């Protein structure tokens, strides 16, 4: 029998399934409750004042119940949908509980970067209007300087024992012990509700706030775990060294439980020896950190090997590297240890994962071509789009050489900054694309694309060296210099030049015990670059100053060498 269909667009029959953090919490308890969360936390100090490590171990079942106790405590304290609850803490199990409990009551997890200057932290707390602050015991010394300037904070909860009671401050364990996990009830949460927020460190002007939604965070979890991205599952044991106070530790505190991956945390212990031992003892299979962390680990692995007491790291298959460019030499150095460095790029505004670099099918990871691909920042992961444009907003050719501004859009990319019209306006670009006119986010990075869409970061726009109107990539020079056997770290900055406006100066830290001269470094670079790219001078220093997130603090170097006279 034929039927006449009404002439209306057909509706999907699919359920409306909200993508929310509570779903992840329920899932990890149902399917992966016996997997572990291990935390190396400080427990007192030794005679030299160094923190003594203590291993805390529990399962996701334990995490689930304690998270619900914390969630109830928050509700009982009057925390409601949309309220901001701040954390000022390193990586450990209690911070993980906060990562879930705060979004699960509909509130917004606001992770404060513990390495920022006090004035910046005060600005951020006031801008976000945080109501409760959860703080590590080892960081509590900041409270007397902070609290008088932060009137929005009603309650302070200290995570970890304090040597003696502090008036007006609650102990985390005492606080949550008052609540029965079985009595917790989730509020109604929409997937578009805010679940977390983070401020960019902002080298110029005030820090800018980025607010993540439940939906963007859940999709980001899926995107990061994919085999074509960072690839992890319930069989893995993941050590995120990236801090939980910066870009949500690249989302791992949510994505690992989502995938059932066991978590290992290192709290304040980020030196090479502590990390190597933790990775060995806890059979870590995947880790993530910035290049400076991996440089420290490499020194430790090489020294232990030379001493005939190598670490047993056969479980450790991959280490994600991002936050700043990973030199090809660094990527190569880990291969003899059976550890694959996986290069990824992203930023606070992109949750952060934007691109990851795996060589195309048919190219070996450990071949020369493979290393060249792996030193690039890579291809956009699914649900992310990138493009590179010139000063007229036209796409530059995808030839691997033409540099331009890197734009991005996607399911977990911010469209605006929190209560910041000017910042928002400056970051948005409206452009025509295959899917019509769309808003793109201007990253402030300068990049190239090759014909397969592999992206290479050439510089931050403000760090480019502009010599006689031509652009010189400081990142490429740094990466090449760090390939010299005597160089531990190298940063290239622009210094003023009467004829060329700017010329590159290389600031170099030598490896312990190694010697090298400027002439030798110049000879090392010569075959790799056009003559006008070569640094005019080399300065040797003991250490390169780092930003709050472990990147080279070029602003401080520029200040240090601002009167530098090129001969
Ligand atoms: P943040 O928001 O503090 O994480 O900083 C984001 C910025 O770090 C990006 O805009 C890049 O300039 C830089 N960055 C992140 N990952 C990489 C990478 N793999 N290579 C080069 N630069 C990177």
């Amino acid at each position: 029998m034929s039927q006449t269909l009404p002439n209306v667009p057909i509706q999907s029959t699919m359920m409306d399934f909200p993508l929310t953090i509570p779903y992840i919490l329920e899932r990890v308890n149902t399917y992966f409750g016996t997997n572990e969360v291990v935390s190396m936390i400080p427990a007192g100090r030794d005679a030299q004042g160094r923190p003594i490590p203590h291993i805390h171990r529990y399962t996701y079942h334990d995490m689930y119940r304690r998270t619900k106790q914390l969630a109830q405590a928050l509700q009982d304290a009057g925390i409601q949908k949309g309220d901001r609850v701040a954390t000022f803490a390193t990586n450990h199990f209690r911070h993980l509980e906060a990562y879930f409990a705060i979004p699960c009551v509909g509130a917004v997890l606001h992770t404060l970067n513990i390495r920022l200057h006090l004035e910046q932290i005060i600005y951020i707390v006031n801008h976000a209007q945080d109501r409760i602050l959860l703080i590590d015991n080892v960081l509590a010394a900041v409270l007397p300087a902070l609290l008088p300037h932060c009137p929005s904070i009603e309650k302070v909860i200290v995570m970890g024992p304090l040597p003696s009671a502090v008036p007006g401050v609650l102990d985390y364990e005492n606080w949550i012990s008052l609540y029965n996990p079985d009595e917790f009830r989730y509020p109604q949460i929409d997937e578009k509700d805010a679940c977390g927020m983070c401020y960019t460190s902002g080298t110029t002007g005030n820090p800018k706030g980025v607010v993540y939604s439940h939906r963007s965070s859940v999709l980001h979890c899926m995107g990061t775990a994919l085999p074509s991205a960072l690839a992890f599952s319930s069989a893995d044991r993941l050590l995120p060294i990236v801090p939980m106070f910066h870009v949500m530790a690249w989302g791992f505190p949510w994505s690992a439980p989502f995938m059932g991956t066991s978590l290992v945390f290192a709290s304040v212990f980020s030196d090479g020896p502590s990390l190597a031992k933790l990775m060995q003892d806890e059979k870590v299979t995947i880790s993530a950190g910035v290049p400076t962390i991996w440089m420290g680990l490499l020194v430790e692995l090489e020294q232990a090997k030379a001493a005939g007491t190598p670490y047993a790291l056969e479980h450790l298959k991959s280490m994600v590297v991002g936050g700043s460019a990973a030199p090809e030499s660094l990527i190569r150095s880990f291969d003899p240890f059976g550890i694959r460095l996986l290069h990824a790029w992203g930023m606070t505004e992109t949750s952060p994962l934007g691109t990851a670099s795996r060589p195309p099918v048919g190219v070996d990871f450990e071949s020369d071509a493979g290393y060249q691909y792996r030193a690039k920042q890579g291809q956009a992961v699914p649900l992310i789009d990138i493009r590179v444009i010139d000063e007229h907003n036209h796409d530059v050719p995808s030839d691997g050489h033409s540099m331009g501004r890197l734009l991005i859009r996607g399911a977990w990319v911010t469209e605006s900054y929190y209560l910041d019209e000017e910042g928002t306006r400056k970051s948005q670009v409206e452009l025509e694309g295959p899917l019509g006119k769309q808003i793109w986010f201007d990253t402030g990075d300068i990049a190239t694309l090759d014909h397969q869409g592999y992206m290479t970061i050439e510089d931050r726009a403000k760090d480019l060296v502009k010599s006689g109107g031509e652009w010189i990539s400081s990142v490429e020079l740094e990466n090449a210099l760090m390939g010299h056997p005597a160089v531990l770290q190298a940063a290239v900055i622009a210094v003023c030049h009467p004829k060329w406006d700017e010329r590159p100066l290389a600031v170099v830290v030598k490896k312990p015990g190694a010697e090298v001269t400027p002439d030798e470094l110049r000879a090392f670079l010569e075959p790799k670059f056009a003559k006008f790219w070569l640094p005019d001078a080399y300065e040797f220093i003991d250490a390169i100053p780092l930003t709050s997130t472990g990147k080279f603090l070029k602003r401080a170097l520029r200040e240090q060498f601002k009167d530098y006279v090129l001969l």
Side-chain angles (χ1 to χ4, degrees):
M1 211 170 73
S2 77
Q3 206 182 339
T4 317
L5 291 173
N7 191 15
V8 287
I10 189 167
Q11 296 290 312
S12 121
T13 59
M14 292 297 109
M15 287 183 181
D16 185 10
F17 185 91
L19 309 180
T20 62
I21 302 293
Y23 170 72
I24 299 181
L25 183 64
E26 291 300 319
R27 178 177 164 81
V28 72
N29 186 52
T30 305
Y31 297 105
F32 311 109
T34 55
N35 280 359
E36 275 188 320
V37 178
V38 179
S39 311
M40 183 157 69
I41 48 175
R45 294 190 176 268
D46 65 13
Q48 282 80 45
R50 290 174 308 217
I52 302 168
H54 163 78
I55 296 289
H56 175 278
R57 191 182 292 281
Y58 72 5
T59 66
Y60 277 126
H61 279 317
D62 301 322
M63 182 278 248
Y64 176 80
R65 292 184 71 74
R66 285 171 51 91
T67 296
K68 289 199 158 181
Q69 288 177 289
L70 173 58
Q72 264 206 75
L74 290 166
Q75 283 179 332
D76 210 30
I79 292 298
Q80 295 180 351
K81 226 170 141 162
D83 284 344
R84 272 75 69 204
V85 177
T87 60
F88 194 80
T90 59
N91 295 9
H92 52 69
F93 64 102
R94 293 189 184 98
H95 204 174
L96 180 68
E97 291 158 11
Y99 259 69
F100 279 92
I102 296 166
C104 283
V105 300
V108 182
L109 165 71
H110 177 199
T111 52
L112 293 166
N113 185 334
I114 65 171
R115 300 210 191 105
L116 294 182
H117 291 298
L118 184 65
E119 302 84 76
Q120 276 183 315
I121 298 169
I122 291 171
Y123 170 86
I124 291 171
V125 170
N126 285 313
H127 194 261
Q129 288 288 292
D130 298 321
R131 285 189 60 193
I132 290 187
L133 173 66
L134 292 123
I135 185 166
D136 274 1
N137 54 352
V138 290
L139 302 171
V142 74
L143 289 173
L146 184 71
L147 292 180
H149 304 284
C150 301
S152 65
I153 294 181
E154 299 159 24
K155 247 188 193 15
V156 177
I157 319 293
V158 174
M159 297 188 280
L162 276 177
S164 54
V166 178
V169 163
L170 294 174
D171 173 78
Y172 182 91
E173 293 301 325
N174 290 342
W175 193 45
I176 68 167
S177 68
L178 303 174
Y179 299 93
N180 175 355
D182 299 325
E183 284 171 12
F184 172 67
R185 297 289 168 266
Y186 292 104
Q188 270 293 323
I189 294 176
D190 187 281
E191 64 172 14
K192 295 216 172 96
D193 287 344
C195 73
M197 76 188 301
C198 216
Y199 280 72
T200 61
S201 27
T203 44
T204 50
N206 282 325
K208 298 197 272 290
V210 175
V211 184
Y212 309 107
S213 68
H214 283 260
R215 176 188 157 82
S216 72
S217 303
V218 170
L219 289 172
H220 180 255
C221 287
M222 305 273 296
T224 47
L226 288 173
S228 60
L230 310 186
F232 51 96
S233 72
S234 58
D236 283 302
R237 293 172 68 80
L238 194 157
L239 167 60
I241 301 164
V242 284
M244 288 164 88
F245 57 76
H246 180 64
V247 207
M248 305 314 200
W250 300 357
F252 291 121
W254 289 325
S255 57
F258 195 2
M259 300 302 140
T261 309
S262 288
L263 272 169
V264 181
F265 290 124
S267 184
V268 296
F269 303 97
S270 59
D271 57 293
S274 302
L275 291 177
K277 184 165 184 318
L278 185 64
M279 288 169 156
Q280 170 181 271
D281 294 353
E282 294 304 327
K283 298 189 169 47
V284 168
T285 62
I286 171 167
S287 187
V290 293
T292 43
I293 290 285
W294 298 143
M295 288 171 194
L297 181 70
L298 183 63
V299 170
E300 175 64 12
L301 297 189
E302 284 174 344
Q303 282 176 353
K305 195 172 165 194
T309 51
Y311 288 92
L313 292 176
E314 58 281 352
H315 299 92
L316 185 56
K317 295 287 174 265
S318 90
M319 299 196 310
V320 186
V321 58
S324 46
E328 188 181 319
S329 54
L330 184 72
I331 297 173
R332 282 180 184 262
S333 321
F334 276 99
D335 281 340
F337 295 97
I339 302 169
R340 186 173 275 180
L341 238 57
L342 178 68
H343 203 178
W345 167 90
M347 53 200 310
T348 307
E349 291 86 337
T350 66
S351 296
L353 187 64
T355 67
S357 202
R358 295 174 178 278
V361 178
V363 177
D364 249 14
F365 270 74
E366 278 82 36
S367 65
D368 281 344
Y371 286 119
Q372 278 165 23
Y373 279 109
R374 290 166 63 194
K376 294 172 185 281
Q377 279 67 16
Q379 293 174 314
V381 297
L383 296 183
I384 291 288
D385 262 350
I386 55 173
R387 64 202 283 186
V388 175
I389 58 167
D390 64 17
E391 64 273 33
H392 308 295
N393 286 1
H394 296 144
D395 291 288
V396 302
S398 297
D399 55 11
H401 301 291
S402 304
M403 294 189 213
R405 278 149 57 212
L406 176 65
L407 306 185
I408 186 167
R409 53 177 281 110
W412 48 83
V413 176
T414 202
E415 190 163 295
S416 60
Y417 288 107
Y418 178 60
L419 300 182
D420 182 347
E421 277 177 28
E422 196 196 341
T424 298
R425 190 167 30 77
K426 284 188 180 158
S427 69
Q428 289 183 341
V429 183
E430 196 175 62
L431 274 189
E432 204 61 67
L435 303 181
K437 206 173 232 176
Q438 290 164 327
I439 301 279
W440 293 74
F441 176 81
D442 190 337
T443 62
D445 282 343
I446 301 296
T448 60
L449 284 176
D450 73 9
H451 69 285
Q452 291 161 298
Y454 281 80
M455 183 270 286
T456 304
I457 295 283
E458 299 291 343
D459 241 321
R460 289 294 292 165
K462 62 184 179 341
D463 292 338
L464 269 176
V465 184
K466 287 155 205 136
S467 171
E470 298 283 347
W471 285 357
I472 297 175
S473 158
S474 65
V475 174
E476 277 194 46
L477 289 169
E478 288 160 7
N479 287 347
L481 280 168
M482 286 189 271
H484 189 285
V487 175
L488 182 65
Q489 292 176 335
V492 172
I493 53 166
V495 289
C496 292
H497 189 279
K499 178 164 175 203
W500 303 111
D501 291 337
E502 287 180 358
R503 289 293 302 154
L505 164 73
V507 184
V508 175
V509 180
K510 288 184 248 184
K511 280 195 182 151
E515 276 312 324
V516 66
T517 64
D519 283 347
E520 284 164 351
L521 289 178
R522 189 178 168 89
F524 180 72
L525 292 182
E526 244 160 17
K528 303 182 173 78
F529 295 99
K531 200 152 175 276
F532 84 95
W533 273 48
L534 298 176
D536 284 21
Y538 298 82
E539 281 295 319
F540 295 99
I541 61 171
D542 292 338
I544 293 180
L546 298 179
T547 68
S548 62
T549 53
K551 305 176 193 195
F552 294 158
L553 186 53
K554 298 225 181 147
R555 184 166 36 93
L557 287 179
R558 277 196 285 269
E559 184 57 30
Q560 186 177 343
F561 291 100
K562 70 176 186 306
D563 301 323
Y564 198 84
V565 181
L566 290 166
L567 300 173

